[in-house]
Amino acid sequence: QSVLTQPPSVSGAPGQRVTISCTGSSSNLGAGFDVHWYQRLPGTAPKLLIYVNSNRPSGVPDRFSGSKSGTSASLAITGLQAEDEADYYCQSYDNSLSGHVFGTGTKVAVL
Amino acid sequence: QVQLQESGPGLVKPSETLSLTCTVSGDSISNYYWSWIRQPPGKGLEWIGYIYYSGSTNYNPSLKSRLTISIDTSKKQFSLKLSSMTDADTAIYYCARGTVTVGNFDYWGQGTLVTVSS
């Protein structure tokens, strides 16, 4: 029931920059609802990585950054590190569903 | 430090009702909404529903007919009941704290795997 679309996977060499897109619609991102990003390391619970489009919680490295424009959002990881191998999910609120929605998820691989 | 801990059975028979409880520690249960989120094997995250500390609820429309979320503020616990379980409900179930003003989930439990099988 994901209404936010993400690429299934992205990859990059250590030190490179990768971006993950999150595409929504007029009932969620396009309606002005904020986007949030989560990192799910293997075998662990999701961790809040970016909130309200571009803000980092305390303790999240500034290698992670987020942005939102219209019906799309993106997460960028600069200076990719091996420890960044994880699944990443965007999340927002949807008017039509009257509830929270998650993206389809993106697996980041460090080559 | 806020901590959430899920508890409940790891195995449920088809057609039965799943009951899970999440215990909150490290902060007040007030002024937040308390959510359940799940992840089926090999699939993405799915928001199940939430309950505000006052008791008001909001459920995923796809689960609404089978779902009840309740809260016991005195015990700092909230619970999920999902009836008529099927194979499709096999998943890791997470409880999480939602921030009212921001709309994100800032603290999560470690998750509990629930398998539906006879």
Side-chain angles (χ1 to χ4, degrees):
Chain A
Q1 193 203 0
S2 296
V3 297
L4 302 178
T5 303
Q6 300 177 230
S9 64
V10 299
S11 62
Q16 284 190 330
R17 180 179 186 268
V18 296
T19 61
I20 301 169
S21 60
C22 174
T23 302
S25 67
S26 58
S27 63
N28 41 69
L29 302 187
F33 292 106
D34 296 319
V35 67
H36 319 287
W37 291 90
Y38 302 85
Q39 177 192 58
R40 187 177 184 275
L41 295 166
T44 68
K47 166 192 166 186
L48 181 63
L49 197 65
I50 296 286
Y51 66 97
V52 186
N53 309 321
S54 59
N55 297 276
R56 286 185 307 276
S58 173
V60 173
D62 59 7
R63 303 183 292 103
F64 296 92
S65 62
S67 64
K68 172 181 176 275
S69 178
T71 58
S72 295
S74 65
L75 172 72
I77 310 174
T78 56
L80 194 64
Q81 299 183 5
E83 65 203 51
D84 298 333
E85 277 208 340
D87 295 325
Y88 293 82
Y89 294 90
C90 58
Q91 175 253 317
S92 186
Y93 189 88
D94 190 277
N95 256 341
S96 298
L97 297 174
S98 296
H100 296 280
V101 290
F102 286 93
T104 49
T106 299
K107 182 176 293 292
V108 170
V110 181
L111 304 174
Chain B
Q1 176 75 351
V2 178
Q3 291 187 316
L4 292 84
Q5 179 67 57
E6 304 90 351
S7 58
L11 182 64
V12 177
K13 289 183 170 56
S15 80
E16 292 189 342
T17 295
L18 170 67
S19 294
L20 294 176
T21 296
C22 182
T23 302
V24 181
S25 61
D27 197 3
S28 169
I29 203 167
S30 300
N31 300 319
Y32 295 98
Y33 55 83
W34 302 94
S35 283
W36 290 97
I37 295 158
R38 69 181 182 179
Q39 184 166 28
K43 296 187 178 181
L45 297 167
E46 179 183 31
W47 172 73
I48 296 171
Y50 70 69
I51 187 164
Y52 197 47
Y53 75 100
S54 62
S56 61
T57 56
N58 187 14
Y59 298 156
N60 186 319
S62 69
L63 299 169
K64 190 172 184 176
S65 63
R66 301 191 289 130
L67 180 63
T68 301
I69 298 177
S70 58
I71 192 165
D72 186 333
T73 55
S74 65
K75 293 183 178 179
K76 297 178 72 173
Q77 292 179 333
F78 62 105
S79 300
L80 168 148
K81 288 190 187 298
L82 187 62
S83 63
S84 304
M85 293 282 283
T86 70
D87 288 350
D89 296 312
T90 293
I92 298 174
Y93 285 75
Y94 296 100
C95 58
R97 188 179 84 168
T99 57
V100 176
T101 54
V102 173
N104 63 6
F105 304 101
D106 58 355
Y107 289 96
W108 296 62
Q110 63 185 25
T112 185
L113 175 62
V114 175
T115 302
V116 182
S117 175
S118 54

